[in-house]
């Protein structure tokens, strides 16, 4: 298998290593591979990198990253991006890896929901707790409207101007879009299931001002049904938390921002040995049950596994050596220090005569 990989054809979509998942651990994998002179492409289903750190707790401080007594979660991601810059990895964001399979020549085909197709010498799965998916409206018949008049993310605000809008949710996305669209819509109703919001206080205050000025309506409660005229969405039925009477609102478009939840998704379908929704790996090089496919970070399991960023960073370092050996089995491996290795310093772009990510 490895021999075929040693002389990769000049195929434009060939990458030595494809990393699935751009959370903190996938990002650090780029760095560790880069130090060994191995190039990577990284793919994430989200439109931005950072995984759980960016998506779930960007403003929270992390206290257990070595040598950083305190570091904001987003700050950690920003620092990782800065650290991996010399290695010029290719980023494919906003697309889920839907297919991963070995090819006859020993490489792997990696295909995404947006139609990107790469061939890889090795693959690292750093998919965390899975790919983040929007929480859907749990209403009968909602499927026929999803993507047409029921939306979980907004591509272009203009699409909603001059229409009757119902916005659902109490976080930043719901409140930001309420404030942004209020004066552009024909009518706007915001519905949230409880009194507390998880959005910036200033935005909540602005929403209350708009309600006070009669420019929009706010309902504390839940959406219980959709109204339609044949195939067209016409409105929704709301059940307020107080009182028994239901409220009918007109709605051409419903924007539901109930947050994201991770879904293991396609990872479970790639024929890799799993245990409790995680990929089984060895602890020597974090290879899965399929040679050439490695798994690091929250997605893997082994005796004593702890789902910590620190553990994922260690796994990325050992996986890089495992990948180097897999791709180039004849190459002698020896440990080099970034403090003293001219070749690593050249790759990092810090040696006087360096060309980043230079010779191997
Ligand atoms: C609130 C909270 C606080 C935490 N605090 C700490 C802490 O203080 N210290 C600590 O060490 N850890 C902490 N953690 C845990 C830490 O965030 C995780 O261990 C870490 O994010 C794991 O990184 P990862 O790169 O393995 O996965 P993730 O961060 O989950 O990233 C995985 C990425 O893979 C993508 N992905 C998955 N499947 C696919 C696919 N098929 N195609 C494309 N992309 C895909 C996802 O979209 C995601 O972006 C905390 C977690 C939470 C929720």
């Amino acid at each position: 298998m490895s021999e075929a990989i040693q002389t990769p054809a000049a195929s434009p979509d060939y990458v030595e290593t494809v990393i699935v998942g751009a959370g903190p651990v996938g990002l650090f994998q780029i760095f560790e591979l880069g130090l060994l002179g191995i190039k990577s492409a990284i793919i994430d289903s989200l439109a931005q990198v950072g995984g759980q750190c960016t998506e779930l707790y960007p403003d929270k401080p992390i206290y257990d990253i070595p040598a950083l007594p305190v570091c904001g979660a987003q700050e950690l991601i920003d620092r990782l991006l800065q650290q991996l810059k010399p290695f010029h990895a290719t980023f494919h964001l906003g697309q889920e890896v839907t297919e991963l399979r070995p090819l006859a020549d020993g490489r792997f085909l990696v295909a995404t929901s947006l139609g990107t197709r790469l061939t890889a010498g090795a693959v690292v799965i750093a998919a965390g707790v899975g790919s983040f998916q929007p929480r859907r409206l749990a209403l009968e018949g909602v499927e026929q409207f999803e993507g047409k008049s029921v939306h979980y993310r907004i591509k272009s605000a203009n699409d909603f101007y001059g229409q009757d809008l119902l916005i659902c949710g109490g976080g930043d996305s719901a409140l930001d879009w309420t404030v942004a669209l209020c004066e552009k819509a024909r009518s706007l109703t915001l519905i949230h299931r409880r009194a507390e919001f998880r959005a910036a206080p200033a935005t909540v205050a602005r929403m209350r001002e708009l309600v006070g000025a009669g420019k929009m309506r706010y309902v504390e409660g839940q959406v219980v049904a959709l109204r339609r005229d044949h195939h067209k969405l016409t409105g929704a039925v709301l059940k307020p938390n107080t009182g028994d009477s239901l409220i009918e609102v007109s709605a051409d478009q419903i924007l539901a921002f109930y947050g994201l939840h991770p879904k293991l998704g396609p990872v479970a379908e790639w024929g890799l040995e799993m245990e409790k929704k995680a990929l089984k790996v060895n602890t020597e090089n974090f290879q899965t049950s399929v040679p050439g496919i490695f798994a690091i970070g929250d997605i893997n399991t082994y005796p004593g596994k702890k789902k910590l960023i620190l553990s994922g960073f260690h796994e990325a370092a050992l996986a890089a050596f495992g990948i180097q050996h897999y791709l180039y089995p004849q190459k002698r491996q020896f440990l080099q220090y970034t403090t003293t290795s001219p070749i690593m310093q050249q790759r990092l772009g810090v040696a006087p005569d360096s060309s980043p990510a230079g010779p191997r």
Side-chain angles (χ1 to χ4, degrees), residues 149 151 154 157-168 177-178 180-191 216-217 233-236 238 249-255:
S149 40
H151 308 268
I154 291 184
N158 297 0
D159 296 346
F160 302 98
Y161 290 180
Q163 304 198 49
D164 294 320
L165 304 182
L166 172 63
I167 298 187
C168 315
W177 282 114
T178 295
L181 290 171
C182 181
E183 299 194 54
K184 310 276 189 192
R186 183 164 51 217
S187 75
L188 191 150
T189 302
L190 172 70
I191 181 159
M216 60 167 281
R217 179 179 201 177
L233 180 76
T234 55
L238 314 183
V249 289
S250 298
D252 304 309
Q253 305 284 346
I254 298 181
L255 314 173

Side-chain angles (χ1 to χ4, degrees), residues 7-38:
T7 50
S11 155
D13 60 2
Y14 174 79
V15 193
E16 283 175 301
T17 306
V18 168
I19 302 166
V20 181
V25 178
L27 292 176
F28 193 60
Q29 185 70 79
I30 296 174
F31 178 79
E32 286 295 326
L33 286 168
L35 281 183
L36 299 183
I38 297 172

Side-chain angles (χ1 to χ4, degrees), residues 19-27 43-46 48-57 60-65 92 95-98 125-132 262-267 270 296-299 305-312 315:
I19 302 166
V20 181
V25 178
L27 292 176
I43 307 174
D44 203 294
S45 51
L46 295 174
Q48 75 284 330
V49 303
Q52 293 172 55
C53 292
T54 300
E55 203 53 47
L56 301 182
Y57 59 107
K60 285 203 164 41
I62 305 178
Y63 299 100
D64 58 349
I65 303 297
H92 302 273
Q95 43 195 307
E96 184 178 53
V97 175
T98 48
I125 303 177
V129 281
S131 81
F132 288 99
K263 196 186 92 202
L264 190 57
V267 174
W270 295 336
I296 57 169
D298 280 11
I299 191 73
K305 167 74 183 183
K306 298 286 177 283
K307 290 186 180 184
L308 288 172
I309 296 167
L310 170 69
S311 317
E315 294 161 15

Side-chain angles (χ1 to χ4, degrees), residues 267-268 270-281 288-290 295 299 301:
V267 174
W270 295 336
L272 304 166
E273 218 178 298
M274 301 193 77
E275 188 178 285
K276 292 189 187 151
K277 296 189 176 176
L279 295 170
K280 282 176 85 171
V281 290
T288 65
S289 56
V290 173
I299 191 73
T301 184

Side-chain angles (χ1 to χ4, degrees), residues 20-344:
V20 181
V25 178
L27 292 176
F28 193 60
Q29 185 70 79
I30 296 174
F31 178 79
E32 286 295 326
L33 286 168
L35 281 183
L36 299 183
I38 297 172
K39 289 218 187 285
S40 12
I42 191 162
I43 307 174
D44 203 294
S45 51
L46 295 174
Q48 75 284 330
V49 303
Q52 293 172 55
C53 292
T54 300
E55 203 53 47
L56 301 182
Y57 59 107
D59 303 322
K60 285 203 164 41
I62 305 178
Y63 299 100
D64 58 349
I65 303 297
L68 289 175
V70 57
C71 179
Q74 184 58 51
E75 181 193 349
L76 178 72
I77 299 304
D78 295 343
R79 285 173 179 270
L80 284 165
L81 285 174
Q82 191 187 344
Q83 192 175 26
L84 61 81
K85 231 178 187 169
F87 302 118
H88 304 288
T90 316
F91 286 77
H92 302 273
L93 299 177
Q95 43 195 307
E96 184 178 53
V97 175
T98 48
E99 192 182 351
L100 166 62
R101 63 179 164 87
L103 297 170
D105 64 3
R107 301 175 191 181
F108 297 94
L109 173 78
V110 182
T112 78
S113 52
L114 279 193
T116 302
R117 289 168 76 82
L118 302 171
T119 50
V123 174
V124 182
I125 303 177
V129 281
S131 81
F132 288 99
Q133 312 283 326
R135 282 183 213 281
R136 300 171 58 225
L137 266 180
L139 293 174
E140 200 191 322
V142 72
E143 315 77 48
Q144 73 177 99
F145 299 116
E146 286 174 327
K148 294 176 214 137
S149 40
V150 171
H151 308 268
Y152 303 114
R153 52 173 71 102
I154 291 184
K155 285 195 209 108
S156 163
N158 297 0
D159 296 346
F160 302 98
Y161 290 180
Q163 304 198 49
D164 294 320
L165 304 182
L166 172 63
I167 298 187
C168 315
D172 281 316
S173 300
L175 272 289
D176 286 351
W177 282 114
T178 295
V179 168
L181 290 171
C182 181
E183 299 194 54
K184 310 276 189 192
R186 183 164 51 217
S187 75
L188 191 150
T189 302
L190 172 70
I191 181 159
H192 177 43
R193 68 191 155 87
R194 53 197 179 95
E196 298 77 35
F197 289 91
R198 284 172 292 100
T203 322
V204 177
R206 176 71 189 134
M207 181 275 289
R208 293 200 193 283
E209 267 174 36
L210 291 165
V211 173
K215 295 189 171 165
M216 60 167 281
R217 179 179 201 177
Y218 170 62
V219 177
E220 194 187 306
Q222 294 185 54
V223 189
V224 292
L226 300 176
R227 289 282 181 252
R228 75 197 71 197
D229 180 5
H230 297 93
H231 297 300
K232 189 182 177 314
L233 180 76
T234 55
V237 184
L238 314 183
K239 184 175 182 313
N241 289 348
T242 51
D244 289 334
S245 51
L246 298 174
I247 301 173
E248 296 262 352
V249 289
S250 298
D252 304 309
Q253 305 284 346
I254 298 181
L255 314 173
F257 299 109
Y258 290 148
L260 299 165
H261 70 108
K263 196 186 92 202
L264 190 57
V267 174
E269 292 153 22
W270 295 336
L272 304 166
E273 218 178 298
M274 301 193 77
E275 188 178 285
K276 292 189 187 151
K277 296 189 176 176
L279 295 170
K280 282 176 85 171
V281 290
N282 69 55
T283 49
E284 185 190 340
N285 57 17
F286 300 94
Q287 191 162 244
T288 65
S289 56
V290 173
I293 302 183
F294 298 74
I296 57 169
D298 280 11
I299 191 73
N300 75 13
T301 184
Y302 52 84
K305 167 74 183 183
K306 298 286 177 283
K307 290 186 180 184
L308 288 172
I309 296 167
L310 170 69
S311 317
F313 287 172
H314 159 78
E315 294 161 15
L318 293 201
F321 283 101
I323 290 163
Q324 187 189 43
H325 182 67
Y326 178 79
L327 293 174
Y328 308 103
Q330 279 87 6
K331 189 175 168 54
R332 259 189 60 226
Q333 281 196 326
F334 52 97
L335 185 72
Q336 297 182 80
Y337 296 128
T338 54
T339 37
T340 50
S341 161
I343 188 130
M344 281 188 169

